[in-house]
Amino acid sequence: MTRASDHSRDPCPYVIFSDLGASFAMGAIGGGIWYGIKGAKNSPRGEGLQGAVTSLKARSPVLGGNFAVWGGLFSTFDCAMKGIRQKEDPWNSIASGFLTGGVLAARGGPKVALSSAAFGGIFLAVIEGLSIVVSRAFADQNRPVMPQLPEVAPPAGH
Amino acid sequence: MEPSKFERAKVGAMMGGAVGLCIGFVIGGYSLMRYGPGQRGYVDTLARTMVSTTATFSFFMAVGSVIRADDEGRAKIPIEWYHEKDRARAFRTPPVVILQQLQQQQQQQ
């Protein structure tokens, strides 16, 4: 995934906010469905809906918050990596995942932090590796084509 | 052709399933080495871990890819919020599209 040419994402410091919000929405919506089903399943017969709503209201904002912390911190580190290294490659996000995992578990002590950081790094490495594999696999199908530039006179006033 | 929401969810679920499979293999393998197989045996424990991580990841990735739309209707940070030096970087419309729009305008005139 080359993000340098990806204009659908906001540029760097601003992408932190949109990533944070998107992560929160992802966690809250996913958690809503997840805990809704779980609450309905764990309720006694006849009180499924109420149990679903109670569990959903209690848990899904928390999950959204957790996702948002992860996503926002990750995006912050990603932007910092881009700024420091002046490069955009998979190592940026792998390092960001490592750092995010480490920082979020920092209160558990160095051992816990290191294992959480390793998990974050592995997680992002898997995602980046898979996205490379997928883009290689589909590279033949949609090979980049030179866009045909329409012949246009420059707009007046320039 | 913009893919539909369901289409995007499907792609996200597939991608998440692949990620979850790998993660489940790594995490499950690690916990097998560390804590042993338990009562079910090596293969069954690993398979259970992998299946549950695959389900979790594909579910959340499906949700995430639906809400993360890249189309033009996507909610974006308003350009006025950008620092002045960043505004040039924030291409909202690819240059080719701008050229096409200009061409259409010229044809209409």
Side-chain angles (χ1 to χ4, degrees):
Chain A
M1 241 191 290
T2 51
R3 286 174 189 142
S5 56
D6 189 359
H7 295 300
S8 67
R9 287 167 70 88
D10 293 305
C12 218
Y14 310 97
V15 79
I16 296 170
F17 295 104
S18 48
D19 268 359
L20 202 138
S23 308
F24 178 81
M26 184 171 158
I29 295 173
I33 300 170
W34 186 272
Y35 286 115
I37 293 171
K38 202 173 173 185
K41 216 178 72 180
N42 290 342
S43 302
R45 220 168 233 289
E47 294 177 22
L49 186 66
Q50 205 185 349
V53 171
T54 310
S55 144
L56 188 156
K57 279 200 307 196
R59 303 282 181 97
S60 70
V62 179
L63 195 71
N66 290 346
F67 267 65
V69 169
W70 227 96
L73 205 52
F74 170 77
S75 196
T76 311
F77 277 126
D78 202 28
C79 280
M81 288 288 155
K82 276 179 201 166
I84 293 169
R85 296 181 65 221
Q86 296 291 325
K87 270 194 245 178
E88 291 190 29
D89 56 8
W91 292 108
N92 274 352
S93 33
I94 295 172
S96 314
F98 184 86
L99 287 171
T100 308
V103 166
L104 287 183
R107 288 176 27 129
K111 209 174 164 186
V112 179
L114 197 67
S115 72
S116 167
F119 173 75
I122 290 171
F123 176 52
L124 263 301
V126 167
I127 290 182
E128 290 292 328
L130 266 173
S131 72
I132 290 172
V133 168
V134 167
S135 65
R136 286 245 176 95
F138 287 98
D140 281 338
Q141 284 184 21
N142 34 11
R143 187 185 297 272
V145 190
M146 178 79 171
Q148 288 204 324
L149 291 181
E151 290 180 14
V152 181
H158 283 272
Chain B
M1 181 63 191
E2 183 67 24
S4 70
K5 284 193 172 61
F6 180 70
E7 206 69 27
R8 278 206 300 261
K10 221 166 61 181
V11 173
M14 269 156 59
M15 197 69 196
V19 172
L21 216 56
C22 296
I23 298 271
F25 184 72
V26 172
I27 303 283
Y30 176 74
S31 81
L32 271 186
M33 284 192 290
R34 178 125 196 221
Y35 303 107
Q39 306 218 327
R40 289 200 199 93
Y42 284 95
V43 178
D44 200 6
T45 313
L46 185 60
R48 271 167 201 266
T49 315
M50 281 172 73
V51 166
S52 74
T53 50
T54 304
T56 314
F57 275 92
S58 64
F59 172 68
F60 278 101
M61 286 278 228
V63 171
S65 53
V66 169
I67 59 169
R68 254 186 196 280
D70 304 322
D71 54 0
E72 287 179 16
R74 180 172 86 91
K76 287 174 184 150
I77 294 172
I79 201 153
E80 294 79 35
W81 291 14
Y82 283 42
H83 191 270
E84 281 172 17
K85 69 179 167 54
D86 293 328
R87 282 184 194 164
R89 276 196 290 151
F91 261 116
R92 286 313 164 85
T93 322
V96 175
V97 178
I98 296 178
L99 276 173
Q100 284 169 350
Q101 287 170 351
L102 279 174
Q103 193 186 32
Q104 282 173 2
Q105 281 177 9
Q106 285 185 355
Q107 280 172 356
Q108 282 170 4
Q109 284 167 3

